[in-house]
Amino acid sequence: QLTMSLNSSVLLNEENSQGAKRNSECLESLELQTPSSLQDNPLQQLQLASQEVLEKAKKSGRSKCPRCSSSRMFYCYTCFVPVETVPTKEIPTVKLPLKIDIIKHPNETDGKSTAVHAKLLAPDDVTIYKYPCIPEYEEKRHEIALIFPGPNSVSVKDIAFHLQKYTKKRVCGNKDDCSREPFLKQAKMEPKEEENLNECISSNRSEGTRLKKIIFIDSTWNQTNKIITDERLQGLLQIELKTRKTCFWRHQKGKPDTYLSTIEAIYYFLVDYHQEILKENYKGQYDNLLFFFSFMYTLIKNAKCCAGKE
């Protein structure tokens, strides 16, 4: 469940003027409510930048993309830039501790994907690829991991331990059996030479256990198999996330609520990584990755309440 839509007509029902007026009045009423009246919003505790710019853009309606001139709401999901009514300087920028590659399924509708949020909010650290045009990861798989639940997936806290296996193979050579007699015992060396080699191996392993890039797949779960079985992704360390419930409004029928949207998966991984690997207290450093997501969540939830759907 890695998708999203920003079609404002769904929210305001432009085809029905009376419905639009009723929803508009209801939204205005909800905006006047105190935070305590929205305690059922699970995203309410996030430390977010001011969303006033999004409130203004919502009232203004759809606007042009500064690059392709397409009519969009909040941002252009094909150019990965905010629309004219959302100045870039008023959007928060998030610095990530590692690089992120997002592999998007070719049949995934651009306007329904939350992957663009990551690119908009962390532009220096996020790259989006449309499958099958993806990088070759073989040479650097000792520093790359893939977020995907599977029989061989490991938890975030065990990343460093499992990446050591890839580093060990690089030091010994792919064709060597590293489980056999230690390399240093196979040949006589001067003490100085042995010391230098030990330092080299230790340095390589230390460097190799540092995760530098994480890969996410952006597609519905039913479409994931085509990408996850690609030979270019085989052999990568797979990471599973702690069980968390999605807040995504496009829940896939028949799927559990633990299937996260792309931006939720990215956010929760980084929170776990910050605490488990960096060993630092989390103080909201990555909360702004949900800047657009949380705004849309509240907007859509309020609209549904007004329509009597909840």
Side-chain angles (χ1 to χ4, degrees):
Q1 176 184 349
L2 309 175
T3 53
M4 166 191 170
S5 172
L6 288 178
N7 189 337
S8 61
S9 64
V10 174
L11 305 177
L12 301 180
N13 194 4
E14 296 174 354
E15 296 179 358
N16 187 323
S17 59
Q18 293 183 348
K21 181 178 180 181
R22 181 171 62 254
N23 282 347
S24 178
E25 292 174 350
C26 186
L27 285 173
E28 290 176 2
S29 174
L30 284 167
E31 287 168 0
L32 297 176
Q33 295 182 22
T34 61
S36 60
S37 65
L38 296 175
Q39 290 181 353
D40 58 337
N41 183 348
L43 303 175
Q44 191 175 358
Q45 301 304 316
L46 294 173
Q47 299 180 41
L48 299 173
S50 172
Q51 294 175 321
E52 183 179 358
V53 63
L54 300 182
E55 289 285 356
K56 292 180 179 178
K58 181 194 70 176
K59 294 177 180 178
S60 299
R62 299 169 74 87
S63 181
K64 285 185 178 182
C65 167
R67 293 186 182 176
C68 68
S69 297
S70 297
S71 177
R72 299 282 190 257
M73 193 71 174
F74 303 127
Y75 57 79
C76 180
Y77 44 75
T78 52
C79 298
F80 308 143
V81 294
V83 294
E84 294 177 346
T85 55
V86 183
T88 302
K89 63 181 181 180
E90 295 187 40
I91 294 178
T93 299
V94 184
K95 181 60 181 175
L96 307 185
L98 37 68
K99 301 298 182 181
I100 289 179
D101 280 1
I102 300 174
I103 301 176
K104 187 173 177 295
H105 193 282
N107 295 335
E108 186 66 18
T109 304
D110 291 339
K112 295 181 180 179
S113 172
T114 62
V116 63
H117 295 185
K119 182 61 179 176
L120 284 162
L121 298 165
D124 294 336
D125 298 316
V126 176
T127 304
I128 298 179
Y129 298 94
K130 180 169 287 189
Y131 188 83
C133 298
I134 65 175
E136 295 285 349
Y137 294 110
E138 174 66 24
E139 293 300 319
K140 293 190 176 182
R141 63 178 184 172
H142 60 286
E143 58 188 35
I144 299 175
L146 170 67
I147 297 296
F148 192 79
N152 299 318
S153 297
V154 303
S155 63
V156 173
K157 65 182 178 64
D158 293 327
I159 289 177
F161 172 76
H162 287 278
L163 281 180
Q164 286 182 354
K165 299 176 182 178
Y166 295 93
T167 305
K168 190 174 182 180
K169 290 180 181 179
R170 291 179 69 238
V171 173
C172 296
N174 290 332
K175 295 182 180 180
D176 290 339
D177 181 1
C178 295
S179 64
R180 66 188 180 188
E181 187 178 9
F183 176 74
L184 293 178
K185 293 183 179 180
Q186 295 177 20
K188 293 183 178 180
M189 292 186 179
E190 295 296 328
K192 187 65 177 177
E193 292 177 325
E194 184 172 324
E195 180 182 345
N196 290 339
L197 182 56
N198 277 328
E199 289 179 357
C200 179
I201 293 176
S202 176
S203 175
N204 284 339
R205 286 182 178 172
S206 176
E207 180 68 19
T209 56
R210 297 176 188 174
L211 184 64
K212 296 182 180 179
K213 179 176 289 186
I214 196 77
I215 302 170
F216 292 83
I217 297 176
D218 183 52
S219 74
T220 61
W221 284 97
N222 291 334
Q223 297 172 333
T224 301
N225 188 63
K226 181 177 181 179
I227 297 178
I228 197 64
T229 56
D230 189 287
E231 60 180 7
R232 290 168 290 183
L233 299 181
Q234 302 311 302
L236 290 176
L237 180 64
Q238 293 187 5
I239 309 298
E240 62 180 355
L241 301 177
K242 293 179 180 178
T243 301
R244 290 185 171 92
K245 292 185 178 181
T246 183
C247 292
F248 196 36
W249 46 93
R250 286 183 169 272
H251 183 69
Q252 293 182 52
K253 187 176 181 180
K255 301 299 181 182
D257 58 7
T258 53
Y259 281 16
L260 305 173
S261 65
T262 301
I263 195 62
E264 287 177 301
I266 292 173
Y267 170 73
Y268 285 125
F269 166 78
L270 290 171
V271 172
D272 289 346
Y273 181 84
H274 193 85
Q275 297 172 323
E276 301 286 357
I277 302 300
L278 300 184
K279 302 296 183 182
E280 298 178 12
N281 292 329
Y282 183 69
K283 299 179 180 179
Q285 291 90 333
Y286 315 119
D287 282 11
N288 275 320
L289 285 175
L290 299 178
F291 181 74
F292 291 105
F293 184 89
S294 63
F295 184 82
M296 291 303 303
Y297 171 87
T298 301
L299 187 63
I300 293 173
K301 185 176 180 62
N302 290 347
K304 286 183 177 180
C305 287
C306 289
K309 294 182 179 180
E310 293 188 358

